Amino acid sequence: MNSQCGSLRLQLFQIVIVTFIATAVAGTQGAEPLPTPLFPGITPVCSCESLTNVPLSNTTIESAVVDSSNRMCRVTAIVTHPQAGDRVKVWIGLPLTNWNGRFQGTGGGGFLGGHPNSLRGPVARGFSAGATDTGHEGGSGKFALDDDGRQNWQAIIDNAYLGIHEMTVVGKALTTAFYGRAPRYCYFVGGSTGGRQGLMEAQRFPEDYDGIISACPAINWHRFVPASLWPEVVMLSMSNFVSKAKLDAATAAAIAACDNDDGVNDGVIDDPFHCAYDPKALVGASISNEVFTAADAEVVRKIWQGPRGQDGSFMWYGLERGADMSAYAGTGGTPLKGKPFSISLDYWLYYLAQNRKWDWTTLTYAGFEQLWKQSVEEYGAVLATDDPDLTRFRDHGGKLIIYHGLADQLIPAAGTIEYYKRVQQRLGGERKTADFARLFLVPGVDHGFRGAGATPIGINEAILRWVEERKAPDKLIAEKRDASGKVIRTRPLFPFPEVAKHKGSGSVDDAANFSNKRPRK
């Protein structure tokens, strides 16, 4: 029964994360104008089926078939690396008509390298597009161990960065073969793991893409993924597992306490980094027939604070006030027991403990710190995606848009901010960095860019305009819709470190009544 529940939970997560990629990152594309064709009237120079004969190094093209329902030539290829025994599956979608002259790479979520369904949106907009499984099927992290229980480093490398690069190489080659012209511009669009994959391309293969959109990127994987087990370790060590109702009550109380800090009462904490709400204020309150205790307050406080060493030293960031804590601090059953986040648990099982039968409930604070440090030392060079030196990407002419929700319940935005600050330091400061890379923070939305805050729109159009017209995005627009789809609020999003400030007059639901401001320190 337990294994069936764990499998179901993992399947549900995969559905959620793939839905996020399809809706949060690419979903606004339908409302944007179609890109102007770069080669008007261009048509394929060969049949779809003939692409099986295109010679590519270490690549076998398994099939090339017409998908009439999506008006594309869908190609499936297998890339291998000699003597490694790996198989990186690549899917390429090529529009049968109206190719716009561009290629778009797509990413995955969690341990899922990517999915062929992500080809549909870009192809419908005229892009040739690519996706890959990065060398393994499904969303589990079990591929990190081979059949003998040893680390499978080739599989780890394929998933970390090499699979996306191979997809890009194959995608560009097949695009050129099909249309007789190479794509003039290449873009990568991804969120979560896809956001990490895009940044990894900029760091390791800077000439692969001209423009990259990186949403809520899973950079610092070697730090934040093991750190996401921290809330469970806290509750386990304190013998005090906290219900979702209590966690939600603490989140709601923090939002109520800090909502008006920006002068606008809208159910959103605009600056969670300066929200100092202390959950001790809830002690004694009745929540769903439970009493919120001092021990509950201590658990919540440690979740917000984030992992600390036994000497009190900083390890990693916690969830921000306003973010849903129940994914990291999952509980269930009677009496309550911990239900760790599936991606985090897989990482601890297959990467750190390297034991499929490892029992997380044996973990102590000391053990947590030891294995977290092991993660940083052992996997940093492969998984980190935190190299701030984007010199080669900048010099190639590449443009980068990063955006992150400030109520992200899966990847703390503070890690993305810390990375972007290091990019600024490495690349000559705020202004010089803004010439090619900009970060936009989105108040009040979660990992899927949903919540009380407004959701960014027009980002795909913004990256094309920046790359092809040299018009940098001085602001983005976010909008909130009601259940019927009507827009009920718009807000501007300004490049970090600027924030939106209400001018003092006019509707707070109209972006026109806000201006950019430097935040308090």
Side-chain angles (χ1 to χ4, degrees):
M1 175 64 77
N2 288 339
S3 62
Q4 292 174 349
C5 290
S7 176
L8 177 60
R9 190 165 63 248
L10 180 58
Q11 291 171 13
L12 289 174
F13 174 77
Q14 291 179 30
I15 293 171
V16 168
I17 203 67
V18 170
T19 300
F20 157 70
I21 294 166
T23 58
V25 180
T28 59
Q29 293 179 351
E32 298 178 23
L34 293 178
T36 302
L38 300 174
F39 309 124
I42 193 169
T43 58
V45 298
C46 63
S47 69
C48 176
E49 293 77 9
S50 69
L51 292 178
T52 56
N53 299 318
V54 175
L56 297 172
S57 178
N58 299 320
T59 301
T60 301
I61 300 180
E62 290 192 330
S63 65
V65 298
V66 171
D67 179 351
S68 57
S69 64
N70 294 292
R71 297 193 57 76
M72 76 170 80
C73 171
R74 184 190 293 268
V75 184
T76 301
I78 303 296
V79 182
T80 62
H81 301 94
Q83 301 180 345
D86 60 341
R87 286 172 52 87
V88 177
K89 182 173 287 189
V90 171
W91 301 281
I92 304 298
L94 304 162
L96 298 175
T97 58
N98 301 319
W99 178 51
N100 67 27
R102 304 167 179 87
F103 174 79
Q104 180 175 311
T106 67
F111 288 110
L112 194 70
H115 196 279
N117 287 347
S118 63
L119 301 178
R120 296 174 183 171
V123 168
R125 301 185 69 237
F127 292 82
S128 59
T132 174
D133 68 356
T134 62
H136 70 276
E137 295 182 355
S140 170
K142 62 184 179 182
F143 65 86
L145 298 181
D146 63 19
D147 292 339
D148 296 322
R150 297 172 299 188
Q151 280 185 305
N152 187 339
W153 274 106
Q154 185 62 50
I156 292 171
I157 290 170
D158 286 344
N159 181 248
Y161 61 85
L162 195 53
I164 291 292
H165 174 63
E166 300 291 16
M167 171 202 77
T168 306
V169 171
V170 171
K172 290 183 180 182
L174 291 176
T175 298
T176 303
F178 194 53
Y179 301 109
R181 296 285 297 269
R184 182 174 294 175
Y185 298 107
C186 296
Y187 297 90
F188 187 91
V189 180
S192 195
T193 283
R196 181 190 66 77
Q197 291 166 331
L199 286 172
M200 190 70 93
E201 280 287 295
Q203 294 167 25
R204 290 181 179 268
F205 307 102
E207 296 186 356
D208 276 1
Y209 291 97
D210 302 295
I212 294 173
I213 294 175
S214 175
C216 52
I219 52 178
N220 304 298
W221 181 281
H222 62 316
R223 299 178 189 271
F224 91 82
V225 172
S228 62
L229 192 64
W230 171 254
E232 298 287 358
V233 175
V234 168
M235 293 188 291
L236 178 68
S237 297
M238 293 179 60
S239 299
N240 184 57
F241 289 97
V242 183
S243 69
K244 185 178 187 303
K246 289 183 177 180
L247 296 174
D248 290 348
T251 298
I255 293 173
C258 299
D259 178 3
N260 203 43
D261 285 356
D262 61 340
V264 177
N265 193 346
D266 56 2
V268 172
I269 304 177
D270 267 46
D271 183 4
F273 306 110
H274 286 93
C275 178
Y277 173 78
D278 191 328
K280 70 180 182 181
L282 278 179
V283 173
S286 178
I287 299 167
S288 298
N289 298 318
E290 298 180 280
V291 175
F292 195 93
T293 68
D296 297 334
E298 182 64 13
V299 167
V300 170
R301 192 178 296 112
K302 287 186 175 182
I303 292 174
W304 287 340
Q305 181 187 55
R308 295 295 184 268
Q310 290 184 284
D311 61 357
S313 59
F314 172 84
M315 294 172 65
W316 197 242
Y317 303 98
L319 295 175
E320 302 305 336
R321 288 163 173 78
D324 182 355
M325 292 179 274
S326 62
Y328 275 12
T331 56
T334 304
L336 284 179
K337 293 183 179 180
K339 296 174 64 176
F341 183 46
S342 60
I343 291 177
S344 176
L345 185 57
D346 271 12
Y347 187 77
W348 281 82
L349 283 168
Y350 303 115
Y351 283 74
L352 299 183
Q354 297 174 27
N355 179 354
R356 297 182 179 91
K357 297 181 179 180
W358 177 73
D359 182 2
W360 74 272
T361 63
T362 63
L363 202 55
T364 62
Y365 282 133
F368 176 90
E369 183 174 2
Q370 177 186 352
L371 287 174
W372 187 88
K373 289 180 177 178
Q374 175 189 323
S375 175
V376 173
E377 294 172 1
E378 188 172 3
Y379 297 105
V382 176
L383 293 172
T385 325
D386 62 352
D387 182 357
D389 188 357
L390 300 181
T391 303
R392 292 187 299 154
F393 181 71
R394 179 200 62 191
D395 293 349
H396 166 64
K399 308 299 180 187
L400 169 65
I401 293 177
I402 306 172
Y403 65 110
H404 206 136
L406 289 176
D408 194 321
Q409 78 279 34
L410 301 183
I411 303 177
T416 297
I417 294 170
E418 186 263 353
Y419 170 71
Y420 187 72
K421 286 180 176 179
R422 291 196 298 113
V423 173
Q424 290 178 322
Q425 292 170 358
R426 181 65 180 81
L427 273 298
E430 185 178 317
R431 290 186 178 181
K432 289 186 177 181
T433 301
D435 287 341
F436 79 98
R438 299 191 178 191
L439 167 64
F440 296 85
L441 300 176
V442 193
V445 296
D446 63 12
H447 196 61
F449 294 93
R450 301 180 181 90
T455 301
I457 62 171
I459 300 175
N460 297 280
E461 184 181 3
I463 194 70
L464 264 68
R465 189 183 303 116
W466 198 3
V467 168
E468 299 176 20
E469 302 175 28
R470 296 298 185 262
K471 295 180 180 178
D474 291 328
K475 69 177 178 181
L476 298 175
I477 295 297
E479 64 179 25
K480 186 171 181 61
R481 296 175 179 265
D482 63 17
S484 68
K486 179 183 177 182
V487 176
I488 58 174
R489 177 184 300 162
T490 59
R491 287 285 174 84
L493 304 172
F494 296 103
F496 178 85
E498 295 179 345
V499 297
K501 177 69 175 178
H502 188 244
K503 296 177 180 178
S505 63
S507 171
V508 297
D509 293 325
D510 187 344
N513 299 320
F514 288 78
S515 60
N516 55 320
K517 177 186 176 183
R518 306 289 293 195
R520 56 179 171 150
K521 294 183 179 180

